[in-house]
Amino acid sequence: MFKWLKKKKETGVKELPDLIALFSESKDFLQYEFPQNPQPFLIYYLKTMVDDNTLHRDIMPYIKKESVQTLEDLKAEVPIENIIITDDLQKINDGLLHGSVVIRPGKGGKECAIIKAPVNFTRNVSAPEVEFSVIGPKEAFVESLDNNVNLIRKRLPVENFKMKQIKIGKLSKTKVAVLYLEGIANEENVNTVIQRLEDIQIDQINDSSYLAQLISDNANSPFPQLIDTERPDRVASVLGEGKVAILADGSPLAIIGPTTLVEFFSAFEDYFLNWIIASAFRTIRFVAVLFSLLITPTYVAVLTYHYELIPKDLMATLISSRREIPMPPILEAIFLELAIELLREAGARLPTKVGQTIGIVGGIVIGTASVEAGLTSNVLLIFVALAALGSFTTPVYRMSNTIRLIRFPFLLFAHLWGLLGVVIAFCFMLIHLLRLTSLGRPILEPLYPLRIPDLKDALIRLPFSFQSKRPVQLQTENTIRFKGAQAKKKNDFDE
Amino acid sequence: MFCLCLSLLSGCVQQEIVDDINLLTAIGYDLEEDDKVIGTAVVPVYDAEGKVSNIVYEAETRASKELRSKFNAESPDPFVSGKLEVALYSKKLAEQKGIIKLIDALERDPSIGSRVFLAVAATDVSEMIEAKYGDIDTGRYLSEILEHNSDRGILAETNFHSFIYSYHAIGEDPFLPLLVLNEDKVKIDGIALFKKDKMVGKLSDEYLFTFKVLKQKFSTNDVFTVNLNDDIYASVFNIKSRRKFSFENLNEVPEVTIHFSITAIIKEYSGTNITPAVIKEIEARMEKDLKKKSEHIISKIQDLNADTLGIGREVRGRTRDKWSNKRWDELYPSIKIKVVPDVKIRETGVVE
């Protein structure tokens, strides 16, 4: 009894041959011997992890050289830096797994040379797809961490750009980088991020969104608390503001925080456009989101309880569109909302070309057919379509999902208690948002707590000459970005 | 716990789904013999193509709300009154019984807005409600006639709120527009003058404009025609009017002067040239005309002892605690009310 409780006997790898034997079970593990040498070498590597060019150009010729007799000779000859000579099995193990070539003198001896020759299959830097902008840089992160850090560092050539690296995941051993500008970012924010990352207990990190979920303040909130972005320019910009960025190897998304709710509604393109245009677009986005959230619940509430509120000119349109419909407004609305969600989900899961077809089938056929069949009213069809459109104006994809989801409780409240219910639901949402924090900083800032200086880049975006101070919310160590007073002046003439 | 409350309490709210109710848009009251009131209500029915037909319900009652249960008994959907646009009262009812008891029901119902129109029907009420006015719901048709005329036309501002306000105000009596059914159209035929809630007299439609000038400040796009002599006349429009009271001898027998200043633009002139002299003449004619009509209106309301212009309210505002209702009732018919008109022509239009 309780045998299963006892620790399994360690099948520990004590000696190098054990390790080799373990690896040999994989088909892509290769081992060669070079007997023609007076001092023959044994060479081990994982074929799938090693770059053939490096191996044959920079390693093989030197091994075959007469003069190379010992590992020390090899280290001196091979034109690759950081050759480690060690007998540490753990290091040898790691080296093999990360694409190093392990060379061992044939006549025994525990020491091995670990020569790095990893192969990197990465795609090229391409244009951002999720956060596309008409104007502005057309580069997006790729899956390689070094590549991504390079993209950011190119935009911030300063020595206080710091990168801390942590490995997370028992199986995946993902390299996670924390980036910040020392002397600008608040130490507390950096420490919070690093501490939370270090505390993570998980086997695999396959994308940075795993991290975003694991380190967010309230994992049970439908609202995202950290922004993920695929734009290096955006990351560079927020690092300059004093935020902290997290990158994970193998993920084309950077996570940035602490953030605010309004930041989820600001597209990075806002900074490429003139401040008037950008503010107008941002306002439109806010209106669209509120509209998208409230229009169907309001429709249900008004048609179910508050017929008095319908303007007399709209009465005929509304009533005649609902005349033949057997369902109460709530079922009608849920039916249409679900139809839209189905379309979205189907479109997202299918390849692009089929997705388009689904869009047409859904939009035109289902929409018109359900109106003609008398299942839904065409007024509601317009509202639902507009609401869906409104939710897609949110620049951060995560937020648009949230907005579409929380519409359903609103609908339910609207059906149960009319407009009063909508107000109650709104209050619940507001209370939740008031309690929500992003890396310990209130997410509703600058609206609540009111931080007037931060309103310069919230609901509207004021010109750059107004943006001379870093956001108060971040409690940065150096609050001044540049001298605002001088930025306003334009010296066209030499005096 | 919260979800439990939510599901339990939701049963307490009465659903009124918009296509499952009868929206009453106009209601009319008429007086029958032996003091019975006949209520006529109209409900628009919208079909799927957006066409409107009107269904009329009729019932006898004493209490206004009792009508609803009688209407309900013969209707497929329940009646609701939140979309009421117009309430009509027959002249007979307004003159003999007074209308405040019927208005009380409207006043107490929170779903009825204060911008509902009230009017007195000089012709048969039920005929007016039953008549077909084309592809439009009857209540909306009636309310729109009153709405645009009181917003921009020659009808002095009137609605449920202003009626109730002047009814309850001390030193003021309400008035209502007077409607007549003329074949298949409804026309504003004048003003029904009230003493408290009883109609005591009427002003015919030629006095509508002058009454509005006396009653309130306004601007209108309606046209006022001035006859200079038999075949020369001028039409003025874009009229802006301002009215002011001034009082003398407030504490004894007040003497009231009503100043009004009007600016306008000439729109049409049948003579040849408009010279400054002609403008002077048009102004003088208009002043004279307005003065004559004003004096007629004032003598009429004084005769009826109906303070439609709210002069008592103005006096009370200026005398404060020396005011006495009883004394004013006795004084009002005999006080001196002078009218001082001032007309200015601002432009003569674009010609040449």
Side-chain angles (χ1 to χ4, degrees):
Chain A
M1 228 183 144
F2 296 122
K3 245 183 190 170
W4 52 274
L5 263 177
K6 283 175 190 161
K7 261 193 183 169
K8 271 190 191 167
K9 212 177 174 186
E10 290 238 8
T11 53
V13 182
K14 294 273 167 61
E15 297 293 328
L16 189 59
D18 298 338
L19 186 73
I20 303 301
L22 206 63
F23 270 104
S24 304
E25 289 167 21
S26 295
K27 188 80 175 127
D28 61 344
F29 182 73
L30 296 181
Q31 42 181 319
Y32 294 118
E33 205 170 331
F34 294 95
Q36 74 274 28
N37 248 24
Q39 165 84 25
F41 286 109
L42 287 166
I43 176 162
Y44 310 108
Y45 62 95
L46 280 168
K47 192 180 76 183
T48 46
M49 296 299 285
V50 165
D51 184 17
D52 279 351
N53 277 335
T54 322
L55 182 67
H56 289 114
R57 193 183 59 219
D58 299 337
I59 302 175
M60 288 305 193
Y62 301 98
I63 296 177
K64 289 176 184 166
K65 259 190 178 173
E66 293 274 328
S67 60
V68 176
Q69 289 297 317
T70 60
L71 290 176
E72 296 297 332
D73 293 344
L74 196 66
K75 187 175 178 182
E77 289 275 345
V78 173
I80 295 175
E81 285 301 303
N82 279 334
I83 297 175
I84 306 164
I85 297 177
T86 178
D87 61 349
D88 186 347
L89 279 183
Q90 188 58 45
K91 277 190 180 156
I92 295 169
N93 188 8
D94 281 355
L96 281 171
L97 286 173
H98 286 98
S100 295
V101 178
V102 173
I103 296 167
R104 181 186 170 204
K107 287 179 184 163
K110 279 184 179 175
E111 295 213 315
C112 295
I114 305 169
I115 307 171
K116 281 185 182 161
V119 67
N120 275 322
F121 299 112
T122 52
R123 62 188 171 103
N124 292 329
V125 172
S126 56
E129 279 172 18
V130 184
E131 287 170 90
F132 180 78
S133 72
V134 182
I135 314 165
K138 299 280 184 298
E139 49 182 24
F141 288 131
V142 290
E143 280 75 9
S144 150
L145 177 66
D146 294 339
N147 203 336
N148 292 347
V149 176
N150 166 277
L151 288 174
I152 302 168
R153 208 181 256 285
K154 268 194 289 189
R155 292 173 183 277
L156 289 170
V158 284
E159 68 285 358
N160 54 1
F161 178 100
K162 292 281 144 73
M163 169 175 163
K164 293 268 152 70
Q165 194 168 312
I166 306 167
K167 276 197 179 168
I168 303 175
K170 283 203 179 80
L171 286 176
S172 69
K173 299 201 172 64
T174 313
K175 283 187 276 177
V176 173
V178 178
L179 311 178
Y180 61 97
L181 294 182
E182 201 175 48
I184 293 173
N186 187 337
E187 202 95 345
E188 204 182 305
N189 290 341
V190 179
N191 292 339
T192 310
V193 170
I194 291 175
Q195 189 213 330
R196 285 189 191 175
L197 286 175
E198 279 170 347
D199 287 349
I200 288 178
Q201 293 292 331
I202 200 163
D203 56 344
Q204 276 183 312
I205 297 288
N206 288 325
D207 186 61
S208 60
S209 22
Y210 281 49
L211 297 172
Q213 292 172 54
L214 287 166
I215 69 167
S216 65
D217 298 39
N218 182 354
N220 298 325
S221 166
F223 288 91
Q225 294 138 55
L226 295 163
I227 288 187
D228 38 13
T229 177
E230 53 168 356
R231 300 187 66 106
D233 46 351
R234 185 168 195 167
V235 175
S237 149
V238 297
L239 285 180
E241 277 181 0
K243 289 184 181 160
V244 184
I246 305 162
L247 288 168
D249 198 20
S251 163
L253 288 174
I255 305 167
I256 50 185
T259 184
T260 59
L261 190 71
V262 285
E263 207 182 340
F264 284 97
F265 301 102
S266 64
F268 199 62
E269 202 179 18
D270 289 354
Y271 299 95
F272 304 149
L273 297 168
N274 171 302
W275 73 275
I276 300 175
I277 313 276
S279 302
F281 286 176
R282 208 178 265 192
T283 317
I284 287 175
R285 237 173 274 139
F286 280 109
V287 174
V289 165
L290 271 185
F291 177 87
S292 151
L293 190 61
L294 296 175
I295 188 67
T296 28
T298 312
Y299 173 89
V300 169
V302 168
L303 261 68
T304 314
Y305 294 102
H306 316 288
Y307 65 92
E308 300 99 328
L309 291 180
I310 306 170
K312 62 184 173 206
D313 301 312
L314 205 63
M315 210 76 201
T317 327
L318 269 181
I319 295 184
S320 51
S321 79
R322 264 196 61 80
R323 191 84 264 180
E324 308 289 317
I325 293 156
M327 296 184 282
I330 177 73
L331 287 182
E332 194 192 349
I334 287 185
F335 171 78
L336 268 184
E337 291 281 6
L338 280 180
I340 294 254
E341 288 305 294
L342 271 180
L343 278 175
R344 189 194 54 78
E345 191 61 22
R349 298 288 153 256
L350 281 169
T352 329
K353 283 187 181 155
V354 191
Q356 280 175 3
T357 327
I358 288 288
I360 295 164
V361 170
I364 300 170
V365 180
I366 300 180
T368 42
S370 61
V371 169
E372 274 171 26
L375 282 177
T376 55
S377 78
N378 37 22
V379 178
L380 181 63
L381 188 68
I382 295 168
F383 284 159
V384 170
L386 279 179
L389 213 57
S391 75
F392 287 121
T393 59
T394 327
V396 180
Y397 175 70
R398 256 171 232 285
M399 194 45 120
S400 77
N401 286 341
T402 305
I403 286 160
R404 278 203 310 282
L405 180 76
I406 56 176
R407 204 183 297 149
F408 287 96
F410 270 81
L411 272 177
L412 187 70
F413 274 84
H415 174 68
L416 291 178
W417 287 337
L419 283 180
L420 181 70
V422 177
V423 172
I424 292 173
F426 202 87
C427 287
F428 274 112
M429 188 185 78
L430 211 59
I431 293 167
H432 175 68
L433 283 174
L434 282 168
R435 289 170 53 98
L436 209 56
T437 51
S438 166
L439 299 180
R441 312 260 171 217
I443 208 163
L444 270 189
E445 198 271 356
L447 305 175
Y448 192 88
L450 183 65
R451 296 281 178 263
I452 289 164
D454 284 5
L455 286 173
K456 65 183 186 281
D457 186 13
L459 301 174
I460 56 165
R461 181 186 80 78
L462 292 180
F464 285 125
S465 55
F466 283 79
Q467 312 277 3
S468 62
K469 295 228 170 77
R470 299 206 160 83
V472 180
Q473 187 220 17
L474 301 171
Q475 300 285 320
T476 49
E477 290 174 6
N478 181 0
T479 53
I480 292 162
R481 297 177 97 169
F482 52 86
K483 283 177 183 146
Q486 284 179 10
K488 273 183 220 165
K489 273 193 224 155
K490 291 181 191 70
N491 290 320
D492 289 344
F493 302 102
D494 293 328
E495 279 162 55
Chain B
M1 178 64 204
F2 172 71
C3 290
L4 189 74
C5 285
L6 189 73
S7 49
L8 288 181
L9 285 172
S10 63
C12 302
V13 201
Q14 184 70 48
Q15 286 195 0
E16 285 166 335
I17 297 178
V18 80
D19 53 332
D20 297 336
I21 44 178
N22 262 339
L23 301 161
L24 217 126
T25 57
I27 189 157
Y29 299 97
D30 205 347
L31 190 64
E32 282 292 290
E33 277 121 57
D34 53 286
D35 260 18
K36 282 257 169 70
V37 170
I38 294 223
T40 318
V42 66
V43 171
V45 176
Y46 303 93
D47 68 6
E49 276 97 58
K51 286 228 170 82
V52 191
S53 49
N54 293 289
I55 298 183
V56 178
Y57 295 87
E58 233 178 55
E60 249 184 30
T61 182
R62 276 186 330 160
S64 177
K65 284 285 150 175
E66 196 187 61
L67 280 173
R68 206 200 286 192
S69 57
K70 287 190 175 167
F71 292 153
N72 275 336
E74 49 179 357
S75 131
D77 291 322
F79 270 84
V80 291
S81 45
K83 268 293 163 197
L84 188 73
E85 304 278 354
V86 177
L88 295 176
Y89 302 91
S90 77
K91 201 175 162 199
K92 194 170 151 197
L93 178 76
E95 277 171 344
Q96 291 176 15
K97 268 196 86 175
I99 59 175
I100 198 64
K101 276 184 190 155
L102 292 167
I103 283 178
D104 185 72
L106 306 184
E107 213 176 347
R108 278 177 210 287
D109 189 340
S111 68
I112 291 179
S114 56
R115 292 169 73 187
V116 167
F117 286 104
L118 307 181
V120 173
T123 54
D124 190 73
V125 170
S126 50
E127 259 176 43
M128 195 177 283
I129 283 184
E130 278 161 28
K132 298 227 179 317
Y133 303 106
D135 188 18
I136 185 171
D137 109 54
T138 307
R140 200 176 145 196
Y141 170 80
L142 292 172
S143 81
E144 277 175 3
I145 288 181
L146 293 166
E147 189 178 340
H148 86 87
N149 273 308
S150 73
D151 278 359
R152 294 188 298 272
I154 51 173
L155 179 64
E157 228 171 74
T158 169
N159 57 30
F160 182 43
H161 168 81
S162 65
F163 180 88
I164 290 292
Y165 181 86
S166 21
Y167 174 78
H168 289 294
I170 295 168
E172 186 166 349
D173 285 309
F175 72 96
L176 287 181
L178 196 64
L179 298 180
V180 290
L181 180 65
N182 199 348
E183 303 208 3
D184 59 346
K185 287 194 181 67
V186 166
K187 188 184 154 214
I188 301 172
D189 192 43
I191 298 278
L193 301 167
F194 280 73
K195 174 75 189 169
K196 290 283 122 186
D197 69 325
K198 273 193 179 145
M199 179 176 162
V200 286
K202 68 165 262 194
L203 293 171
S204 63
D205 55 352
E206 60 184 303
Y207 295 105
L208 279 173
F209 178 79
T210 319
F211 182 72
K212 192 166 189 175
V213 170
L214 289 173
K215 184 76 186 160
Q216 67 185 109
K217 126 185 180 188
F218 69 97
S219 56
T220 170
N221 275 335
D222 260 16
V223 171
F224 186 85
T225 308
V226 188
N227 288 316
L228 292 179
N229 55 45
D230 283 345
D231 33 64
I232 298 184
Y233 62 89
S235 299
V236 299
F237 87 121
N238 202 348
I239 298 167
K240 283 193 174 58
S241 163
R242 245 156 245 282
R243 175 212 62 170
K244 231 171 73 185
F245 288 111
S246 65
F247 297 91
E248 270 166 52
N249 200 11
L250 266 173
N251 294 330
E252 307 297 319
V253 181
E255 281 171 25
V256 187
T257 318
I258 305 175
H259 306 269
F260 50 80
S261 57
I262 291 174
T263 58
I265 295 173
I266 291 182
K267 198 182 195 182
E268 196 182 342
Y269 178 62
S270 63
T272 45
N273 267 332
I274 301 183
T275 57
V278 174
I279 291 177
K280 279 260 148 34
E281 198 186 340
I282 292 172
E283 287 176 354
R285 279 290 169 129
M286 203 169 155
E287 279 172 14
K288 202 179 140 198
D289 193 24
L290 281 170
K291 191 170 175 166
K292 204 179 98 195
K293 283 181 176 163
S294 303
E295 277 161 359
H296 173 84
I297 293 172
I298 288 164
S299 70
K300 180 147 194 175
I301 60 175
Q302 277 188 309
D303 285 349
L304 297 168
N305 198 6
D307 193 355
T308 318
L309 298 179
I311 292 167
R313 191 158 61 90
E314 296 285 333
V315 171
R316 180 168 172 263
R318 285 165 169 79
T319 54
R320 319 291 290 252
D321 49 346
K322 284 172 193 132
W323 170 266
S324 138
N325 279 340
K326 216 177 141 197
R327 183 163 161 267
W328 179 253
D329 271 355
E330 286 161 10
L331 266 181
Y332 175 68
S334 59
I335 59 169
K336 269 191 189 150
I337 303 175
K338 248 188 359 194
V339 178
V340 182
D342 173 27
V343 177
K344 270 217 170 66
I345 303 289
R346 284 191 295 125
E347 265 179 59
T348 54
V350 188
V351 273
E352 288 136 53

